[in-house]
Amino acid sequence: MGANKQMNLGFLFQISGVHYGGWRYPSAQPHRATDIQYYAEIVRTAERGKLDFCFLADSIAAYEGSADQQDRSKDALMAAEPKRLLEPFTLLAALAMVTEHIGLVTTATTTYNEPYTMARLFASLDHITNGRAGWNVVTSANLAEAHNFGRDGHVEHGDRYARAEEFINVVFKLWDSIEDGAYLRDKLAGRYGLSEKIHFINHIGEHFKVRGPLNVPRPPQGHPVIVQAGSSHPGKELAARTAEVVFTAQQTLADGKAFYSDVKGRMAKYGRSSENLKVLPGVVVYVAETESEAKAKYETVSNLVPPDFGLFMLSDLLGEIDLKQFDIDGPLPEDLPEAKGSQSRREVIINLARRENLTIRQLYQRVSGASGHRSIWGTPKQIADQFEQWVYEEAADGFNILPPYLPESMNDFVNFVVPELQRRGIFRTEYEGSTLRDHLGLARPKNSVAKPS
Amino acid sequence: MGANKQMNLGFLFQISGVHYGGWRYPSAQPHRATDIQYYAEIVRTAERGKLDFCFLADSIAAYEGSADQQDRSKDALMAAEPKRLLEPFTLLAALAMVTEHIGLVTTATTTYNEPYTMARLFASLDHITNGRAGWNVVTSANLAEAHNFGRDGHVEHGDRYARAEEFINVVFKLWDSIEDGAYLRDKLAGRYGLSEKIHFINHIGEHFKVRGPLNVPRPPQGHPVIVQAGSSHPGKELAARTAEVVFTAQQTLADGKAFYSDVKGRMAKYGRSSENLKVLPGVVVYVAETESEAKAKYETVSNLVPPDFGLFMLSDLLGEIDLKQFDIDGPLPEDLPEAKGSQSRREVIINLARRENLTIRQLYQRVSGASGHRSIWGTPKQIADQFEQWVYEEAADGFNILPPYLPESMNDFVNFVVPELQRRGIFRTEYEGSTLRDHLGLARPKNSVAKPS
């Protein structure tokens, strides 16, 4: 089945892994959380596995929620490793120097940044990586971020998306403002640049007024690869219009297929072909030579989540409901209190609990490992079978791997799963191109600002 | 003379050098202007010379001035290499991975950035470099920057400095918000952090409202080294109050001494001791085995500045006056038209022309090489004599070297001047510490946010 349809694989790099028990795993190295060599070792492992890219989630706050919420939950918070302790642009630029092929993608918000600054950072990162940069565009729904940027509350959903659309539009124009070949550098003639290839963009919109040009030449990839993760209606529309990679949380094959065809089906009206968007569901992988050994790894890390933190985190995912009133070893009650925050994330969690008959403890252990993403365990063959099925049945173009504990589960993935995928001819054995666009099979965009010649 | 008083040496890294003829120099490599390996080679040369730091000037615009000004002068602008084509944080983070000791300093403006974002970038850079980061604080007087950030005009001088003071204050508090030792990472006890060592800063001021904490632990240096270059009254006050290194343009020993004692004399009222501020005048150095050979290098690069560009640039330095009305091979007229922009820079240029009886052509050739800084040429002994005299007579604690053309003049400096300084015992032969603070002899600041224990 699925003969030779190639898949794309990225991985989410969170310090000691995405599982909240990850930092306590026996082989974890949480004391190296600000040691750049630690990051270098892990990203080089991923490159040895020929992965398409390393991806950083981001947030511009140390902890989420209001000061009150943080204060009330501080004991729980102090039992977890922060999701990040270094800033992503500096981190990825450093990693560029110790890798050659792997793509380097980071999240950046359009709500608390300026388009000129973001366009410049990504363009520069794309030069420094020789065309390996990608931007996961987010709009920030986090109250703690608002409180670090002079606001009392976060920006409304609709306003954030309107700003995001204009922001991306300005960034695209800035990336194109110094055309390919604008700099001649003719020493003898004393001619460095060609003014006809360098453009003011003169953008005047509802949110931004930006003259340009950018002070970085057009990036090697034309535009760094655009990634999105929104699963709301405007999020899917923005993805269909502008994204080249979509991250998504899908628990079942059926849900995956529905999402895949939904998002790809929205592209035609923007004049885009569906192969120019790669849908990559997140998946947490536990792999070992036997299924029971793989399952034991999952159980080991799950048992390392302190119950107080587990309940706090599950309550947060379900919309700030108090779970301490229920039996931790009983099921999630039918009549849960009203939720605050994301409804779609809450639904995914509730459906998972019902489908698998999980107790509250089992549920927090499961979601502790995955932030709402799917967790699977098994032999290399079992994992590869699932990957192959999802791609063959058009639920995915590949996966965003979420290593539960690092560095060990990245090593496991590269040593066990990648060779099995390669043996089946559904994943590369060598990088064929040099840019992230090459790895993903995406074309270099045309320049939107250049005058037709 | 000056027996064993040690000096500090940084260098300004501008693509093909600071001289506007630099990119046309025979050995220049302007086609490598976005090649990270080019930057790596030059910074490693400086590290071979045991220099204290590499410094990047910055501006958030491709060209200066209004769109009209840019349009009128576009032929002139196209004859020059832009001062920068990569973004400084990504560039320095990349360079961190190919160097071990040299400090990495960049300019960043307080006018078009947010304190949380800046605090985070510098803290992260300080971790990635293991304590080698520095921040040259500027306030932006550049119209082109304003036009990239939604403004019609630039912010008034007084307002910029008020914002800058508050900005620095917020950044300091954010750097201190996660104390040294706040992260225990006790795997067995399941205790990652100590909430009593992690602080909301709850800053509410005239310009900023920032809750904190920062999402990066306290930097290895406590605070990255603070650099300033303002020579106006509020600039000098800000330097006396907060700076640890001051860059300055001083053409003569007498001016250098006056500036040195002026700035250091302002420190006592802020409770600071004068040795905690290093005054480093900029100097463009042409060195060779003979004086005539050194002078020939200066003349070669000076002759590579196209006259149109030279006049444009000189006119800009003198406050946008039209120089084409005067004889290019005659003196600068006594009754120059009124200036726009910086008066202090204009005065330095006029005084230089008068003192050395320069024609307009000679003047633009001279300032083409130095943006208002001093240029000197000679044998290693002659250069070292001048350096030693300035330090001995308290006009300088060292120098910010401005290589006129790269990579060659960096090699010359390291091969010719550094050994002569080392032979005299006035410059290190090996790095003794590991951080930029160590190189500069500056103490690690105390934490301003931590509760006294």
Side-chain angles (χ1 to χ4, degrees):
Chain A
M1 74 190 205
N4 294 330
K5 185 168 174 190
Q6 297 294 304
M7 66 177 66
N8 299 107
L9 296 174
F11 85 103
L12 171 64
F13 195 164
Q14 201 168 294
I15 308 175
S16 298
V18 298
H19 199 293
Y20 286 109
W23 73 274
R24 299 180 68 194
Y25 204 78
S27 59
Q29 304 173 13
H31 57 285
R32 297 182 70 198
T34 54
D35 174 358
I36 189 66
Q37 296 305 331
Y38 169 77
Y39 294 85
E41 288 161 24
I42 291 168
V43 77
R44 279 194 295 237
T45 300
E47 190 168 69
R48 177 163 62 80
K50 316 297 175 196
L51 265 57
D52 293 71
F53 59 84
C54 158
F55 159 63
L56 302 178
D58 196 47
S59 149
I60 325 179
Y63 299 96
E64 298 194 4
S66 68
D68 259 13
Q69 288 166 323
Q70 286 182 40
D71 220 48
R72 265 186 282 119
S73 50
K74 76 183 168 209
D75 290 341
L77 291 173
M78 291 300 120
E81 181 181 66
K83 291 186 180 176
R84 61 202 64 86
L85 289 171
L86 294 175
E87 184 282 332
F89 287 98
T90 44
L91 176 52
L92 293 185
L95 294 179
M97 301 303 276
V98 296
T99 54
E100 273 181 65
H101 291 97
I102 195 166
L104 297 167
V105 179
T106 184
T107 299
T109 177
T110 56
T111 300
Y112 302 112
N113 286 307
E114 288 282 333
Y116 198 94
T117 308
M118 276 303 110
R120 189 181 185 206
L121 282 162
F122 277 110
S124 186
L125 185 63
D126 206 46
H127 282 287
I128 288 170
T129 58
N130 292 312
R132 296 187 280 140
W135 174 18
N136 178 37
V137 184
V138 300
T139 63
S140 296
N142 174 344
L143 196 59
E145 290 185 316
H147 290 172
N148 287 330
F149 288 83
R151 288 174 180 275
D152 291 321
H154 60 71
V155 185
E156 283 308 310
H157 194 270
D159 295 347
R160 292 203 316 270
Y161 273 88
R163 181 181 160 110
E165 290 217 14
E166 188 182 336
F167 193 112
I168 294 171
N169 181 19
V170 176
V171 167
F172 280 11
K173 289 193 277 186
L174 286 168
W175 282 338
D176 291 339
S177 63
I178 298 186
E179 293 183 37
D180 302 323
Y183 291 137
L184 272 186
R185 300 167 175 133
D186 182 338
K187 277 187 184 184
L188 281 183
R191 196 154 193 217
Y192 193 95
L194 298 171
S195 60
E196 64 273 24
K197 294 197 173 190
I198 298 174
H199 307 278
F200 295 120
I201 66 164
N202 290 320
H203 175 90
I204 300 177
E206 202 180 327
H207 300 84
F208 305 108
K209 190 167 151 190
V210 181
R211 193 181 67 186
L214 192 63
N215 55 359
V216 181
R218 194 160 194 256
Q221 295 186 103
H223 302 171
V225 172
I226 300 296
V227 181
Q228 272 173 268
S231 54
S232 65
H233 173 75
K236 283 188 223 170
E237 285 300 313
L238 192 59
R241 198 163 68 80
T242 62
E244 299 172 296
V245 172
V246 166
F247 294 150
T248 178
Q250 301 298 334
Q251 289 284 342
T252 66
L253 183 63
D255 288 349
K257 286 164 77 168
F259 179 85
Y260 187 96
S261 63
D262 178 4
V263 171
K264 296 219 175 192
R266 294 170 192 249
M267 294 174 70
K269 66 174 177 288
Y270 299 112
R272 298 185 67 203
S273 158
S274 64
E275 70 261 28
N276 293 326
L277 177 68
K278 306 294 173 181
V279 174
L280 305 184
V283 58
V284 185
V285 177
Y286 300 85
V287 64
E289 285 180 24
T290 64
E291 186 180 340
S292 62
E293 223 185 313
K295 177 115 199 256
K297 290 180 177 186
Y298 165 71
E299 279 162 359
T300 299
V301 72
S302 295
N303 285 323
L304 290 169
V305 181
D308 268 3
F309 180 75
L311 287 177
F312 157 73
M313 185 265 321
L314 181 59
S315 145
D316 187 57
L317 285 173
L318 292 172
E320 295 179 35
I321 61 173
D322 174 22
L323 291 169
K324 291 196 180 162
Q325 56 185 309
F326 310 121
D327 176 12
I328 194 170
D329 291 309
L332 206 58
E334 288 296 327
D335 53 339
L336 281 177
E338 287 272 307
K340 299 179 196 167
S342 163
Q343 290 294 340
S344 60
R345 198 169 56 166
R346 172 182 160 112
E347 254 170 63
V348 169
I349 309 287
I350 294 175
N351 290 343
L352 170 67
R354 305 267 184 273
R355 194 171 55 246
E356 304 198 14
N357 262 323
L358 302 174
T359 66
I360 289 178
R361 189 193 303 272
Q362 287 167 331
L363 183 60
Y364 83 64
Q365 289 187 344
R366 178 72 71 85
V367 297
S368 279
S371 318
H373 288 273
R374 184 160 148 260
S375 293
I376 60 178
W377 46 80
T379 63
K381 188 182 168 309
Q382 288 171 320
I383 305 291
D385 283 349
Q386 291 212 40
F387 278 23
E388 200 168 357
Q389 186 183 22
W390 278 56
V391 172
Y392 183 70
E393 297 198 18
E394 300 201 329
D397 294 308
F399 300 91
N400 190 22
I401 308 301
L402 282 59
Y405 45 87
L406 287 169
E408 191 176 316
S409 61
M410 189 76 238
N411 284 322
D412 287 348
F413 187 83
V414 166
N415 295 339
F416 289 117
V417 181
V418 168
E420 177 64 21
L421 299 173
Q422 289 170 330
R423 202 186 56 71
R424 298 179 185 201
I426 54 177
F427 189 63
R428 71 175 68 84
T429 53
E430 283 303 333
Y431 291 103
E432 280 160 28
S434 64
T435 69
L436 178 54
R437 286 189 178 277
D438 291 339
H439 308 337
L440 294 167
L442 297 167
R444 190 172 189 265
K446 291 210 177 74
N447 191 316
S448 62
V449 167
K451 295 178 187 80
S453 56
Chain B
M1 75 188 205
N4 295 330
K5 184 168 175 191
Q6 297 295 304
M7 65 178 66
N8 299 106
L9 297 174
F11 85 104
L12 171 64
F13 195 164
Q14 202 170 291
I15 309 176
S16 298
V18 299
H19 199 293
Y20 286 110
W23 72 273
R24 299 181 69 195
Y25 205 77
S27 60
Q29 304 173 13
H31 57 286
R32 296 182 69 197
T34 53
D35 173 0
I36 189 67
Q37 296 305 331
Y38 169 78
Y39 293 86
E41 287 161 24
I42 291 168
V43 78
R44 277 194 295 237
T45 301
E47 189 167 70
R48 176 163 63 78
K50 317 297 175 196
L51 265 56
D52 293 71
F53 59 84
C54 158
F55 158 63
L56 302 179
D58 196 46
S59 150
I60 326 179
Y63 299 97
E64 298 195 2
S66 67
D68 259 12
Q69 287 166 323
Q70 286 182 40
D71 220 46
R72 263 186 283 119
S73 51
K74 76 181 169 211
D75 290 341
L77 290 173
M78 291 299 120
E81 181 180 66
K83 291 185 180 177
R84 61 202 64 86
L85 290 171
L86 294 174
E87 185 282 333
F89 286 100
T90 44
L91 176 52
L92 293 186
L95 294 179
M97 302 303 277
V98 296
T99 54
E100 271 181 67
H101 291 96
I102 194 165
L104 297 167
V105 178
T106 185
T107 299
T109 178
T110 56
T111 300
Y112 302 113
N113 287 307
E114 289 281 333
Y116 197 94
T117 308
M118 277 302 109
R120 189 181 185 206
L121 282 162
F122 277 111
S124 186
L125 185 63
D126 207 46
H127 281 287
I128 288 170
T129 58
N130 291 312
R132 297 187 280 140
W135 174 21
N136 178 38
V137 184
V138 301
T139 62
S140 298
N142 174 345
L143 196 60
E145 290 185 315
H147 290 172
N148 287 329
F149 289 83
R151 287 175 180 274
D152 291 320
H154 60 71
V155 185
E156 283 307 311
H157 194 268
D159 296 346
R160 293 203 315 270
Y161 273 89
R163 181 181 161 110
E165 290 218 15
E166 189 182 334
F167 193 111
I168 294 171
N169 180 19
V170 176
V171 168
F172 281 11
K173 288 193 279 187
L174 286 169
W175 282 338
D176 290 339
S177 63
I178 298 186
E179 292 183 40
D180 302 323
Y183 291 136
L184 272 186
R185 298 166 176 132
D186 182 337
K187 278 186 183 184
L188 281 183
R191 198 155 191 214
Y192 193 95
L194 298 170
S195 60
E196 64 273 25
K197 295 197 170 190
I198 298 174
H199 307 278
F200 295 120
I201 67 166
N202 290 321
H203 175 90
I204 300 177
E206 202 180 326
H207 299 85
F208 306 109
K209 190 167 152 190
V210 181
R211 194 180 67 187
L214 192 63
N215 54 0
V216 181
R218 194 162 194 256
Q221 294 186 103
H223 302 171
V225 173
I226 301 295
V227 180
Q228 273 172 266
S231 54
S232 65
H233 173 76
K236 284 188 222 171
E237 284 301 312
L238 192 59
R241 198 164 68 81
T242 62
E244 299 172 297
V245 171
V246 167
F247 294 150
T248 178
Q250 301 299 333
Q251 288 285 343
T252 67
L253 182 63
D255 288 349
K257 286 164 76 167
F259 179 85
Y260 187 96
S261 63
D262 177 4
V263 171
K264 296 219 176 190
R266 294 169 191 249
M267 294 174 70
K269 68 174 174 289
Y270 299 112
R272 299 183 67 202
S273 159
S274 64
E275 70 262 25
N276 293 327
L277 178 67
K278 306 295 172 181
V279 175
L280 306 185
V283 58
V284 185
V285 176
Y286 299 84
V287 64
E289 285 181 22
T290 64
E291 187 180 341
S292 62
E293 222 185 313
K295 179 115 199 256
K297 290 181 177 186
Y298 165 71
E299 280 161 359
T300 300
V301 73
S302 294
N303 285 322
L304 290 169
V305 181
D308 269 4
F309 180 74
L311 287 176
F312 158 74
M313 185 264 321
L314 182 58
S315 146
D316 187 58
L317 285 172
L318 292 172
E320 295 180 34
I321 60 173
D322 174 22
L323 290 170
K324 290 195 182 164
Q325 57 184 310
F326 310 122
D327 175 13
I328 194 170
D329 291 311
L332 205 59
E334 288 296 328
D335 52 340
L336 280 176
E338 286 273 307
K340 300 179 194 165
S342 163
Q343 290 294 339
S344 60
R345 199 169 55 167
R346 171 181 160 112
E347 255 170 63
V348 169
I349 309 287
I350 294 175
N351 290 342
L352 170 67
R354 304 267 184 272
R355 195 171 55 246
E356 304 197 15
N357 262 323
L358 302 175
T359 65
I360 289 178
R361 189 194 302 273
Q362 287 167 332
L363 183 60
Y364 82 62
Q365 289 188 345
R366 179 72 72 85
V367 298
S368 278
S371 321
H373 288 273
R374 184 161 148 261
S375 294
I376 60 178
W377 45 81
T379 63
K381 187 182 169 309
Q382 288 172 320
I383 304 292
D385 283 350
Q386 291 212 40
F387 277 22
E388 200 168 357
Q389 187 184 21
W390 278 56
V391 172
Y392 183 69
E393 297 197 19
E394 299 201 330
D397 295 308
F399 299 90
N400 190 22
I401 307 301
L402 282 58
Y405 44 87
L406 287 168
E408 192 176 315
S409 61
M410 190 75 238
N411 284 320
D412 287 349
F413 186 83
V414 166
N415 295 339
F416 288 117
V417 180
V418 168
E420 177 63 22
L421 299 172
Q422 289 170 331
R423 202 186 54 72
R424 297 179 186 202
I426 55 179
F427 189 64
R428 70 176 69 84
T429 54
E430 282 304 334
Y431 291 103
E432 281 160 26
S434 65
T435 69
L436 177 55
R437 287 191 175 275
D438 291 339
H439 307 337
L440 294 167
L442 297 167
R444 190 171 190 267
K446 291 210 176 74
N447 191 317
S448 62
V449 167
K451 294 179 187 80
S453 57

